[in-house]
Amino acid sequence: MDFKYQARDSDGKVVKNTISASNRDEAVRAMRSQGLIPITVEIVTGASSMGRSESSRGLLATMQRIGTVPNKVKMLFFRQLATMLQAGLSLVIALDIIEKQETNLIFKDALIDVRKKIDSGLSFSKAMSMNKHFSQLVVALAQAGEEGGVLDSSLDRAASILEKTEAIKRKVKGAMTYPVVIMLIAVGVMWVFLTFVLPMFQEVFKQMGIKLPALTVAMIDLSEFMKDYWWLVIGGFIGTVIGLISFGRTRIGRELFDKMWLKMPIIKGVAFRSVMTRAMRTLSVLVSSGVPILNGLEMAGRVADNFVIKRAFDVLIEGAKRGRTLAISAFDAKVFPPMIIQMIRIGEESGSLDDTLAKVSDWYDDELEQQVKALTSMMEPLMIIVVGVLVAIIAMSVYGPMIGAMEQLTG
């Protein structure tokens, strides 16, 4: 069978031709024996067979191409690409090697798209900017690396910042997992009690013919409501969740929730430190990579993923446009703590803003870890109290009438 291919010759030029072989692997081996580096190798077929090939991709492969690309996949890609460039491989060859071993089909398609755009004459950063799976942050780092001739170092920094961002998310999720799981278990236990256990005791209470305590009566009424209108309870819960998610995606809702996270008594420390760590680390990496300060401030505010902090970075951007120092603008924003303002002032005066921002992000990272531990320690007794109250309600609802009946008999 015939294969249509694109390859690079020893001079680095793109060559297009066809080759005959029994299968694709044999075609690749034949091309390599001629000193060619394969870029794409496709079977030459008619329109009808192409349609059959496309339809025979399979449901599994189609499902695997639905969704987003995890940060850890991108992190590994940039780390591998930086290592290969440092080893002396060309960008196209390195992309070709990584693409062939990539197991995430969504990201594999993205790499193929980027490589084809590079073959058409675009730069690496421009090719990434045209693909939705690469953020403006990594595009800016790649562009700065290309302009400064240090693409490998910039890609390594991109991998590092993605790694740090993922670590922050894991810390925050870890702090919230325990209370969420406990609350779900508590709600499940209460549901089982109201819909299955209490109705059985209700028959016993009727046979005893005693006056029921107010708590037991209230629980029985709630049980009967849940049995008769269970669909309304479940529908109301699902509708509330969907409504909150939809509202949170609006500008007003996003602003409201972002303010709430930063003011909620128990979690505000974790929320603020996680946001500030991401923003300051991003700005530090961008400044050290040679990205213009205005672009760096804009991306840092976006990476913060919080409307309040983004608005504070907008104040910094407007101040920088008017020639004001970042420290003065940070003070006017009324969001940044005095420690950050002082560190920014020191960095500007000493000409080492990237280093001071990196120290700030490292400090907040340590603070975040301590805050997460403190939050977890605080949540444990609170969850015990919540579960204890639920157990007490269940126990008093069941044993209250029995105790009352025993008192009547002994009285």
Side-chain angles (χ1 to χ4, degrees), residues 9 20 43 53 92 97 101 106 121 129 156 166 170 226-227 249 287 297 299 310 357 373 375 385 399 404:
D9 59 18
S20 298
I43 300 176
S53 174
V92 173
I97 293 173
Q101 67 183 18
I106 302 175
S129 69
D156 194 59
E166 195 66 22
R170 285 198 302 268
M226 293 181 67
K227 284 194 302 180
R249 290 177 177 175
V287 171
L297 289 170
M299 283 181 231
K310 184 180 183 305
L357 291 175
K373 292 179 180 178
L375 179 61
I385 293 173
Y399 293 110

Side-chain angles (χ1 to χ4, degrees), residues 291-305:
V291 176
I293 187 64
L294 291 178
N295 294 342
L297 289 170
E298 181 182 357
M299 283 181 231
R302 190 180 296 114
V303 167
D305 198 26

Side-chain angles (χ1 to χ4, degrees), residues 295-332:
N295 294 342
L297 289 170
E298 181 182 357
M299 283 181 231
R302 190 180 296 114
V303 167
D305 198 26
N306 184 282
F307 183 85
V308 177
I309 304 301
K310 184 180 183 305
R311 190 164 56 186
F313 272 92
D314 290 341
V315 174
L316 298 184
I317 293 173
E318 291 300 320
K321 288 180 179 179
R322 295 198 300 265
R324 306 179 70 188
T325 65
L326 292 180
I328 295 176
S329 298
F331 179 81
D332 293 340

